[in-house]
Amino acid sequence: MSLAPILEASAAGWVKPPGQAARAPSRFVLSADYEGHGAADPLRAVSPAPAPSTQPPVWDHCGHGADPATDPVGCRGFRVPGNAVCLAHLSRRKLRRYLAGLAPGADVDHSGTPFTEALLGSLLHALRDPDTHTARIGRARFMDATFTGAWAGFGKSGFAGATFIGPALFDGATFGLARFDGATFASEAGFSGATFTGDACFGGAKFTGYAAFGEAKFNFNASFNQATFTRDAWFAGATFSSGGAWFNSSASFDGTMFNSSASFDGTTFTGDARFDGTTFTGDADFGRATFARDAWFGRASFAVPSHLEPLVCSGTVTLSGAVFEAPVTLEVAAQEVHCVRTRWESTATMRLRYATVDLSDAVLSAPMAVTAHSTAFATNLGGTLDEKMLILIAPDVRLTSLQGVDAAHMVLADIDLTTCLFSRAFHLDRLRLEGRCAFTRTPTGLHWRKIWPYWWSRRRTLAEEHHWRAHRAGAGNPDPPRGWQARSGLPGSVRPPKPEYLAATYRQLRKAFEDSKNEPGAADFYYGEMEMRRHDLAGTTVIERVLVRAYWLLSGYGLRASRALLWLGLAMSGTVLALMLWGLPTTVPLPSATGTATGSTISLKTDKPDLSITGDRWTLQRADRAVRVSVNAVVFRTSGQNLTRAGSYVEMVSKIIEPILLALAVLAVRERVKR
């Protein structure tokens, strides 16, 4: 079914009927050799016409050349009023009379008419406005028309600059080089079901009425740069595809303005799709759209709630600099999504699959959620979005940067943050992390720094800490998993954030983990914060760094129970050894008292036992006594053993050190298991 009857019935205000089918392409071919290329150009060759149809058109047709055996319909051109044939088969006298009767702004209906270059030039010349030197057309019907030959003279520019006062109907036509640059469509423009086998040029065109491109097929470059759509623009089911290797096919809407709704529902772009600087003041519907290459929405403006879901892109979806003034939901399956300096003035939800996302310097004025969608997106038709072009990519969603973002209203759910940059972000303490948000890990195992061994335990870290440590290690940094990851794509002279900045970032994210009751995650980020404080030579004093280093050495900032228990074992072993060497006397004699009685007075004298150490000091008996003293010291109790002066001091020191180490071990265990 064509749009033509409907458009003619209501030229003043046509409303797109839902689910309308597009007109079937005709057997005629609108073709022209591209300027500067000969007819032999295989990319510009005229498409062969299909076999003649036995079904007559809906209009009164010419019928010239009809043959009951081979072509019962004959010429399908619309009969010129008052004549039995179409414009192409008028006699010269009648053609001149008809053209002389035309004036700028006249209605023309030449559907199905086969035009030569001379005939087209003559028609457009008759409609030319003497003031603007461009054609000015009223109601225009060129459905199923045929334009052949290399356009010359006035016809060379096609309908570029033409003004269509009434409805302009080209639906169902097949175009070669279609030139509508600067054309003005004051009423409805119908291109539904049209096929553009060459470039489709609508740059600067003005569509005042409804513009219908539903089910249209653009086989080469389609340019709508600086075009203006005052009413609805319907591209639902349109296909933008590459017609050959010689041209990098693209669909360009750069700078286009859609003052009403713009529908690209189900549209397929097999080349690049560009909407840079496009303004959508009405609803923008990209549901079920497929982009075989890149989709550019840089600096685009969305004034009302739009439907950008679901869509699939095998390349990059660029939303950098775009402005969303109303609530929006984006469901995108793509390799990359760039949202650098994107502005969300209202609530936004991004449900993503496969994508690597960059949110650098994005502006969030309302709550925003970025989530990873676990299954294929459902469409409004009840099925699921075809993601076969992304099947070789892991469906995980990776966030690469939150730099410069105010994260006070942001929620991240099930996002891979292993390469995410958080420096220069604001209000990270209010960032909500839901589900499984993975961070990068430390290189575990035994490492050597010159002659000193280091054992790295597993913990969550920021990517910036990896970059800082790799930069600090320099050229000697080993490859993962034995070392730290350097930031890729940057020259070696670019320095990562300094420890004082990383400490602040860790501190804010630790608060975010604590607010979400993720204590183990908060513990890892507290460890990272203390590590940066330990290495901070600018914001941390020498005394503070010494204390922090001691805290790290003894218990891993109260988070490594094994380290505290190791030190506790060493302290107890040292206490035992010191007692066996210097603290326990050889024998433990009882005190003796002697005295004399003189009348009613008794004089007593008590001899202090000898606490000297003689003989063998390495006996089981002495070891048992030393162990009891050391164990009692852990729980701050007195063993009741006789000790030498040195032994008394050893016991006092152990009563201070060993309970602290035990407390640090208990604290570390608690930090790992509490909720």
Side-chain angles (χ1 to χ4, degrees):
M1 175 181 177
S2 170
L3 289 176
I6 302 175
L7 291 174
E8 291 179 86
S10 180
W14 194 85
V15 178
K16 174 177 67 74
Q20 176 179 308
R23 180 181 179 88
S26 71
R27 71 183 179 92
F28 297 106
V29 180
L30 176 61
S31 63
D33 294 328
Y34 187 75
E35 182 180 357
H37 297 276
D41 185 351
L43 297 177
R44 297 294 177 184
V46 176
S47 302
S53 173
T54 59
Q55 296 296 325
V58 295
W59 53 80
D60 291 336
H61 64 288
C62 173
H64 180 81
D67 186 337
T70 60
D71 185 6
V73 177
C75 176
R76 305 171 71 87
F78 183 75
R79 293 178 181 177
V80 175
N83 295 273
V85 294
C86 67
L87 186 68
H89 296 108
L90 285 176
S91 64
R92 290 189 176 183
R93 181 176 58 84
K94 291 183 177 181
L95 176 61
R96 284 195 298 268
R97 183 187 305 169
Y98 170 75
L99 295 177
L102 296 178
D107 296 341
V108 293
D109 186 349
H110 296 294
S111 298
T113 301
F115 279 90
T116 62
E117 59 184 80
L119 182 60
L120 175 62
S122 299
L123 176 63
L124 295 178
H125 182 80
L127 297 170
R128 183 172 59 181
D129 191 320
D131 295 329
T132 62
H133 301 287
T134 58
R136 187 166 176 264
I137 309 172
R139 183 188 295 263
R141 286 174 57 96
F142 290 93
M143 300 167 62
D144 296 347
T146 306
F147 289 74
T148 58
W151 294 355
F154 188 89
K156 182 177 180 180
S157 60
F159 294 96
T163 299
F164 296 87
I165 301 174
L169 306 180
F170 293 88
D171 44 316
T174 302
F175 293 82
L177 173 62
R179 298 294 300 274
F180 290 89
D181 309 76
T184 299
F185 297 87
S187 187
E188 286 75 11
F191 291 87
S192 294
T195 299
F196 297 84
T197 61
D199 290 347
C201 304
F202 289 86
K206 296 179 177 61
F207 296 86
T208 304
Y210 180 79
F213 288 84
E215 303 295 334
K217 295 179 175 60
F218 298 85
N219 293 335
F220 277 89
N221 297 315
S223 175
F224 289 81
N225 293 354
Q226 306 299 325
T228 300
F229 294 84
T230 302
R231 291 191 59 197
D232 293 351
W234 188 42
F235 288 82
T239 301
F240 296 84
S241 58
S242 177
W246 195 57
F247 283 91
N248 292 322
S249 178
S250 64
S252 178
F253 295 84
D254 292 351
T256 300
M257 177 175 290
F258 296 91
N259 290 328
S260 188
S261 63
S263 174
F264 294 86
D265 180 63
T267 299
T268 300
F269 300 85
T270 59
D272 289 340
R274 302 190 63 91
F275 293 86
D276 283 354
T278 301
T279 300
F280 298 92
T281 58
D283 178 28
D285 186 358
F286 286 86
R288 299 184 300 112
T290 300
F291 300 87
R293 295 179 63 181
D294 295 336
W296 301 78
F297 293 89
R299 299 177 294 105
S301 177
F302 300 85
V304 301
S306 301
H307 299 83
L308 302 181
E309 84 287 352
L311 60 87
V312 59
C313 177
S314 66
T316 300
V317 176
T318 300
L319 295 169
S320 297
V323 179
F324 294 89
E325 301 178 17
V328 63
T329 298
L330 295 94
E331 292 183 347
V332 179
Q335 287 195 45
E336 297 183 15
V337 177
H338 293 171
C339 300
V340 179
R341 295 186 177 88
T342 304
R343 289 174 51 199
W344 281 276
E345 301 291 347
S346 187
T347 56
T349 300
M350 295 181 66
R351 302 189 185 101
L352 305 172
R353 288 175 57 76
Y354 304 98
T356 298
V357 190
D358 186 356
L359 290 172
S360 299
D361 299 311
V363 179
L364 310 181
S365 302
M368 178 182 182
V370 181
T371 65
H373 205 271
S374 58
T375 58
F377 295 121
T379 67
N380 53 5
L381 300 179
T384 57
L385 197 64
D386 186 4
E387 301 175 349
K388 61 183 179 182
M389 63 179 64
L390 298 169
I391 196 170
L392 298 179
I393 306 173
D396 297 336
V397 177
R398 295 158 297 282
L399 182 60
T400 61
S401 178
L402 276 179
Q403 291 184 310
V405 176
D406 187 343
H409 303 293
M410 176 168 282
V411 178
L412 302 178
D414 300 321
I415 303 297
D416 184 347
L417 302 173
T418 55
T419 60
C420 185
L421 304 179
F422 290 92
S423 56
R424 295 193 301 105
F426 308 100
H427 297 124
L428 287 173
D429 56 324
R430 296 163 62 182
L431 174 67
R432 293 293 303 274
L433 300 173
E434 305 288 348
R436 181 183 175 275
C437 291
F439 288 85
T440 187
R441 303 283 183 165
T442 55
T444 57
L446 182 63
H447 297 260
W448 292 85
R449 183 177 298 168
K450 297 182 180 179
I451 63 173
W452 300 105
Y454 282 81
W455 179 269
W456 289 97
S457 56
R458 189 176 182 85
R459 64 176 172 90
R460 300 176 182 88
T461 63
L462 295 181
E464 285 101 327
E465 181 179 348
H466 271 260
H467 304 158
W468 175 78
R469 292 186 182 274
H471 183 84
R472 184 165 171 257
N477 180 50
D479 294 331
R482 304 297 296 176
W484 299 87
Q485 303 272 4
R487 185 177 179 184
S488 59
L490 288 180
S493 60
V494 178
R495 295 181 61 88
K498 295 181 179 180
E500 55 265 35
Y501 298 111
L502 291 180
T505 304
Y506 269 120
R507 188 179 304 114
Q508 294 185 67
L509 287 172
R510 171 173 61 87
K511 180 65 165 52
F513 276 108
E514 290 173 346
D515 290 344
S516 62
K517 305 303 179 183
N518 186 349
E519 297 296 342
D524 281 346
F525 277 59
Y526 174 71
Y527 195 103
E529 175 191 350
M530 297 300 290
E531 278 286 277
M532 294 301 101
R533 288 180 60 191
R534 182 166 67 93
H535 292 284
D536 180 13
L537 302 179
T540 307
T541 63
V542 176
I543 300 299
E544 186 178 355
R545 287 204 306 273
V546 171
L547 294 176
V548 170
R549 182 173 291 274
Y551 193 22
W552 162 74
L553 189 61
L554 291 176
S555 63
Y557 311 114
L559 297 173
R560 299 293 182 260
S562 58
R563 192 177 304 180
L565 291 174
L566 175 62
W567 280 109
L568 177 59
L570 292 176
M572 293 178 66
S573 300
T575 300
V576 170
L577 292 176
L579 290 174
M580 292 179 67
L581 288 172
W582 306 294
L584 295 175
T586 305
T587 59
V588 189
L590 296 175
S592 60
T594 61
T596 59
T598 306
S600 60
T601 301
I602 301 176
S603 298
L604 297 175
K605 180 181 179 182
T606 303
D607 295 329
K608 188 176 181 179
D610 182 13
L611 298 179
S612 61
I613 303 174
T614 59
D616 188 5
R617 304 187 185 195
W618 307 100
T619 64
L620 291 177
Q621 183 181 9
R622 289 174 62 82
D624 175 66
R625 291 167 60 192
V627 168
R628 279 184 286 166
V629 173
S630 180
V631 171
N632 279 280
V634 173
V635 293
F636 212 75
R637 292 182 57 189
T638 302
S639 63
Q641 298 287 334
N642 290 312
L643 301 173
T644 64
R645 182 183 296 273
S648 298
Y649 284 114
V650 170
E651 184 181 35
M652 284 189 294
V653 173
S654 64
K655 283 182 179 180
I656 296 173
I657 295 178
E658 293 175 7
I660 293 176
L661 294 173
L662 179 62
L664 290 175
V666 173
L667 176 64
V669 173
R670 181 178 180 275
E671 289 295 328
R672 288 299 179 183
V673 299
K674 73 174 182 178
R675 291 290 185 269

